[in-house]
Amino acid sequence: MDTLLITGANRGLGLEFVKQYAAAGWRVLACCRDPGQARALGKIAADSQGRVMSHALDMADFHAIDTLAEELRDIPIDLIINNAGIYPDRNSGFGRTDYDVWASAFRVNAMAPLKMAEAFIGHLERAKGKSIATVGSKMGSVADNTSGGCYLYRSSKAAVNIVVKSLAIDLAGRGIKAVVLHPGWVQTDMGGPNALITAEQSVAGMCNVLTRLTVADSGRFIAYDGKDVPW
């Protein structure tokens, strides 16, 4: 049985990833800050006959990441999806920058995915899938930025792009693939009700991309429809 570890699994894209991978027969290690409050995730886990297991994990707590890696030390992990992220720009803008919030965004959006790779490298090496996918955003694309603003979110997502690109190079010798995924503009709490596609459509597309992933794809920035996103 293939195994997925996913962060931010309690709602939105993360919860939909859990649904779709569980339905496909995968074992899913679903992580979020407070599984006790994640009712939808809890129901999926209860109905999964043991295939879905929830784990408490705060992505800003790097010690907790190490602790979870140790707890799961005997489990090979085929795929890690770094889905957890924060959008810190709602009350900011030029002249109203909260630098403490900006630092928090970097810790969760850019630093935590690298920490996950470092902590779970052994789990990936023992599995056959050997893939790390980080949910990014076109808002982290320098080439695509024609509207400005959103300094905190854009910069943290641009930072994780270079993190993943370096991971793809540094881990190639271990057979591990690393990619950034753009989910599209999705109808979630973050994307809002006017977004263009549903979480189900977005995740189905990203799952299809990951199913087809090869070593040659490592280091790409890929949209949910399989198209390359400019850096």
Side-chain angles (χ1 to χ4, degrees):
M1 183 185 298
D2 291 330
T3 299
L4 162 69
L5 187 151
I6 180 167
T7 65
N10 57 311
R11 60 190 176 96
L13 294 176
L15 186 64
E16 187 61 35
F17 270 119
V18 173
K19 291 178 183 177
Q20 294 195 24
Y21 273 100
W26 283 54
R27 172 169 53 181
V28 180
L29 309 174
C31 303
C32 62
R33 281 180 292 183
D34 188 356
Q37 297 298 316
R39 294 181 181 177
L41 176 59
K43 186 176 188 311
I44 293 172
D47 294 341
S48 71
Q49 298 181 326
R51 288 199 316 276
V52 176
M53 292 159 281
S54 59
H55 297 273
L57 184 62
D58 182 347
M59 298 308 297
D61 185 345
F62 293 174
H63 176 71
I65 294 175
D66 284 330
T67 298
L68 182 62
E70 176 61 22
E71 290 175 1
L72 302 176
R73 62 186 176 277
D74 296 327
I75 300 178
I77 296 174
D78 296 274
L79 171 62
I80 291 174
I81 298 180
N82 293 307
N83 169 70
I86 59 175
Y87 182 80
D89 285 275
R90 288 186 174 87
N91 298 310
S92 70
F94 184 77
R96 302 190 308 277
T97 303
D98 187 323
Y99 287 88
D100 290 333
V101 171
W102 195 1
S104 297
F106 258 80
R107 187 170 182 86
V108 174
N109 292 351
M111 297 167 66
L114 178 57
K115 179 61 183 177
M116 289 290 292
E118 292 177 333
F120 287 93
I121 185 69
H123 305 68
L124 289 162
E125 287 183 307
R126 294 196 302 276
K128 61 182 180 180
K130 295 182 172 62
S131 298
I132 305 171
T134 298
V135 177
S137 171
K138 265 189 179 180
M139 290 184 72
S141 166
V142 174
D144 191 69
N145 184 1
T146 59
S147 59
C150 299
Y151 293 95
L152 286 61
Y153 187 70
R154 286 189 187 278
S155 61
S156 66
K157 286 300 187 180
V160 82
N161 285 351
I162 202 65
V163 165
V164 174
K165 183 67 175 179
S166 287
L167 279 175
I169 296 167
D170 293 343
L171 302 183
R174 306 189 194 202
I176 294 173
K177 306 175 287 291
V179 295
V180 181
L181 299 175
H182 169 58
W185 186 16
V186 189
Q187 296 165 12
T188 61
D189 290 345
M190 185 180 292
N194 297 321
L196 298 178
I197 59 174
T198 65
E200 183 177 1
Q201 291 170 320
S202 173
V203 169
M206 290 188 284
C207 288
N208 185 52
V209 168
L210 292 172
T211 297
R212 298 167 180 264
L213 206 63
T214 69
V215 172
D217 294 314
S218 193
R220 289 177 62 195
F221 188 1
I222 314 172
Y224 73 99
D225 58 4
K227 297 177 181 178
D228 283 296
V229 180
W231 295 109

